[in-house]
Amino acid sequence: MSAASKVKVPRKRNVPDVDTSRRQQLLRASARLFREKGYDGTSVRDIAQATGMQSGSWVYHFATKHDMLEAVMQEGLVDALARIEAIAALGLPPRQQFDQLVRTHLDTLLGAGQDFIPVVLYEWRSLEPAARRRVSVLLKRYEAVWEQALAQLRAAGDWSGTTRIDALLLFGALNWVARWYDPRGTLDVQGLADECIRFFLRTPPASDRRSKSSGRAQRAAR
């Protein structure tokens, strides 16, 4: 083998993969900073320092800080939507489906590194009207999964709410958890989910109620 044949040819850099990785790095850092410091309180320099990039290099991925905010919200909603649509596709019994939806929603708010959805909640007013309309498309899809799940729960006799206000109150309570939950406390996220489910579904499963009703009828007939 000649000396020339021993020379290693440098591997070509997979540019799309590198660019995607850097974009994701920017999104994760931006989401964390927007959550911790607020959109207005976060500067482009803050984001550059958090990612180790030069202040102007992130412009290759996002033209403005506002574009980054919209991308953070879309990234979070796309991921959250995929998770709950996967649950809806399982065809679970209504109460079990509701249980999984609550747990998944709380994880998107409180799980490690889950800064994206809190940014949607806290910085919605920072979006410009056109961006708000685009993000709203994803929000409506997310809400539609829940509305269908609640309709199935209602049909099974396990959800007494009959109006859209009931669903809004449910979301309001779940989303507010991100404001007051302390991960250093004695209740972990799964324990918190148990409490939330118990609060929202204050009645026993419909099957249990039917069983008790049947038992009372049988005793009365004796």
Side-chain angles (χ1 to χ4, degrees):
M1 184 180 291
S2 66
S5 64
K6 295 180 181 179
V7 176
K8 292 183 178 180
V9 177
R11 296 177 64 184
K12 291 184 180 180
R13 186 184 72 156
N14 192 329
V15 176
D17 286 349
V18 172
D19 289 343
T20 299
S21 177
R22 288 179 177 172
R23 186 179 189 277
Q24 289 300 314
Q25 184 184 9
L26 277 168
L27 286 175
R28 287 192 297 270
S30 300
R32 178 177 58 80
L33 290 169
F34 291 157
R35 182 179 188 178
E36 293 176 353
K37 303 177 65 173
Y39 174 72
D40 291 332
T42 300
S43 67
V44 170
R45 180 174 296 179
D46 292 332
I47 297 171
Q49 289 178 343
T51 56
M53 297 183 184
Q54 296 181 355
S55 296
S57 62
W58 61 269
V59 179
Y60 175 77
H61 301 279
F62 303 100
T64 66
K65 188 177 78 165
H66 181 270
D67 289 341
M68 202 175 297
L69 175 65
E70 181 182 353
V72 163
M73 293 188 180
Q74 290 184 341
E75 181 81 5
L77 284 168
V78 165
D79 178 69
L81 182 59
R83 295 177 70 184
I84 67 169
E85 284 184 334
I87 293 171
L90 294 175
L92 299 171
R95 283 180 77 104
Q96 190 176 345
Q97 178 177 238
F98 181 79
D99 180 291
Q100 293 302 308
L101 288 176
V102 170
R103 294 181 191 283
T104 300
H105 187 81
L106 289 178
D107 184 65
T108 63
L109 290 175
L110 307 173
Q114 296 283 12
D115 300 308
F116 292 86
I117 296 302
V119 172
V120 177
L121 300 177
Y122 303 154
E123 298 296 340
W124 182 252
R125 293 184 179 181
S126 297
L127 280 179
E128 295 173 357
R132 194 176 298 171
R133 287 192 292 272
R134 289 190 291 269
V135 176
S136 290
V137 173
L138 293 170
L139 270 176
K140 289 177 181 178
R141 285 179 58 189
Y142 191 86
E143 292 172 356
V145 175
W146 276 86
E147 289 169 357
Q148 180 64 27
L150 292 179
Q152 294 172 2
L153 203 62
R154 186 183 304 115
D158 292 322
W159 178 259
S160 59
T162 57
T163 69
R164 177 168 170 75
I165 297 300
D166 299 294
L168 292 175
L169 290 172
L170 168 69
F171 276 122
L174 286 174
N175 292 337
W176 193 252
V177 167
R179 289 286 191 182
W180 57 259
Y181 176 71
D182 186 354
R184 298 166 299 181
T186 59
L187 198 64
D188 63 13
V189 176
Q190 289 304 313
L192 175 63
D194 291 338
E195 294 296 330
C196 289
I197 294 164
R198 186 177 302 114
F199 175 78
F200 292 127
L201 301 182
R202 301 187 186 188
T203 57
S207 58
D208 289 356
R209 295 198 302 274
R210 286 193 295 268
S211 177
K212 291 179 180 179
S213 177
S214 176
R216 287 195 297 268
Q218 291 176 3
R219 289 192 297 272
R222 291 173 183 172

